[in-house]
Amino acid sequence: MTPHLTGWAHTPFGISETDIEDLIARVSRDALADAGLEAADVDLISVGVYNNGFSRQGFEGALVGAGVPELATVPAQRVENACATGSAALYAAMDRIESGRARVALVVGAEKMSGTPSDVLNDILLTACHRNSEAVHGSFAGIFAELADQYAERYGDPHEAMATIAAKNHRNGVANPLAHLRRDLGVDFCSTASERNPVVAGRLLRTDCSMVSDGAAAIVVTSADVAAGARRAVVVRGRAHAGDHLAIASRPDPLAFSGAATAFRDALEEAGASAADLDLLETHDCFTIAELLQMEAFGFAEPGKGAELVLSGATQRNGRIPVNVSGGLKAKGHPLGATGVSQHVMAAMQVVGEAGDLQLPRVGLAGVFNMGGAAVANYATVLEATR
């Protein structure tokens, strides 16, 4: 029972006055309509919301039925796995489809982050690290700044490559009507500390860090027989979920992103493909150093050579492996629970040729990578259109 994606919906990411119940309701209705299905067709609802203090409203699985009453009696669950919460919810639905215990699942990822005081928000984000050993860094930016320092000490300063990644993703985001920030900032701005682009932590400037965003996305996952009647469908060719030590200091090599490498390799193996076969990669650039480390973990560059890859233009929109054509988390935004679902929507739109101004000339296979924490929970997916 190979899972297929047959419908999706996505709110604009940014600062929203809409509460999380309404965000969830909007994408739930729109995704089902996009798939040509009714509430009565849904066997499971899988919801990804991190929350952990962003809202006093929990029990988000049942919140779908609160906003869309016709879905209130459908079995629903909430899944959480840090910044990979959206992918965790999607994978839980895929598991149910593959088991044969469901034919149609509605997956919703959402987060309402704005409105939370900055000190409280920062503390909520730190719940996704190993507090006993990493809270000393003061923020998640501090944790990734430490990784950037380690990279600089071993391989040379990645500053220019990080600025190039930031500028690339912001330039890509200009064409995305759903993106939080649609502005081409340029490499010079992204590489220079200024009043408008201050130092956040260590080597990281504001342009090296994803934004605080609100938003939601939803996907309808179906069995192959249901997908056969859909107007278009995207098959999940391969997928994998791999873990790593929560405490970065417990890893043999913190810069290797070993869990990310394992998930990516295993997803490609299941898909019967290689990294060179991918026409697009939507990956988890919560910080620019993360995208750089992922390029090496995924085998696009040897360890220490990721900067050369980035500076060569290979990951640009017209490069040999276009990365984050949507703008990525950097420009599109990073509402935690919504991110993994959003990444799969962006990739699915590309493989069926529905990405509008973002559309690449040809996308046969698309890769998606979403991680929770500093590459602790790692999800990799390979998508292909069936028609």
Side-chain angles (χ1 to χ4, degrees), residues 19 38 72 110 117 142 178 180 185 190 208 214 298 324 334 356 375 386:
D19 68 18
E38 304 290 339
L178 302 170
H180 186 154
L185 298 178
C190 293
D208 291 304
D214 307 328
F298 299 160
N324 287 332
H334 184 24
T386 60

Side-chain angles (χ1 to χ4, degrees), residues 78-109:
R78 178 235 178 171
V79 181
E80 180 271 308
N81 217 0
C83 303
T85 286
S87 289
L90 178 60
Y91 274 40
M94 290 180 183
D95 289 344
R96 191 72 69 92
I97 298 294
E98 286 189 341
S99 75
R101 296 181 65 85
R103 298 173 69 238
V104 176
L106 173 65
V107 179
V108 181

Side-chain angles (χ1 to χ4, degrees), residues 163-253:
T164 301
I165 288 169
K168 166 182 69 71
N169 293 348
H170 279 294
R171 183 166 55 253
N172 288 344
V174 171
N176 187 350
L178 302 170
H180 186 154
L181 183 58
R182 302 179 64 189
R183 190 178 308 155
D184 186 355
L185 298 178
V187 175
D188 288 345
F189 180 85
C190 293
S191 65
T192 306
S194 65
E195 184 177 351
R196 293 176 58 210
N197 190 26
V199 172
V200 175
R203 298 172 188 274
L204 302 188
L205 305 180
R206 180 177 289 166
T207 48
D208 291 304
C209 310
S210 57
M211 296 171 289
V212 173
S213 305
D214 307 328
I219 290 176
V220 175
V221 186
T222 73
S223 57
D225 62 320
V226 175
R231 65 185 179 88
R232 43 89 158 106
V234 175
V235 65
V236 179
R237 274 271 301 267
R239 64 185 177 104
H241 172 202
D244 207 342
H245 295 277
L246 176 59
I248 297 173
S250 296
R251 304 176 192 175
D253 183 356

Side-chain angles (χ1 to χ4, degrees), residues 20-110:
I20 194 164
E21 181 176 339
D22 287 342
L23 288 170
I24 287 172
R26 175 176 167 183
V27 293
S28 296
R29 290 193 181 95
D30 289 353
L32 285 174
D34 188 54
L37 296 172
E38 304 290 339
D41 298 315
V42 181
D43 301 309
L44 172 74
I45 299 169
S46 187
V47 177
V49 176
Y50 187 60
N51 195 342
N52 222 358
F54 288 128
S55 171
R56 295 184 66 189
Q57 174 64 64
F59 205 4
E60 289 89 355
L63 200 60
V64 177
V68 187
E70 55 268 36
L71 290 170
T73 60
V74 177
Q77 61 190 22
R78 178 235 178 171
V79 181
E80 180 271 308
N81 217 0
C83 303
T85 286
S87 289
L90 178 60
Y91 274 40
M94 290 180 183
D95 289 344
R96 191 72 69 92
I97 298 294
E98 286 189 341
S99 75
R101 296 181 65 85
R103 298 173 69 238
V104 176
L106 173 65
V107 179
V108 181

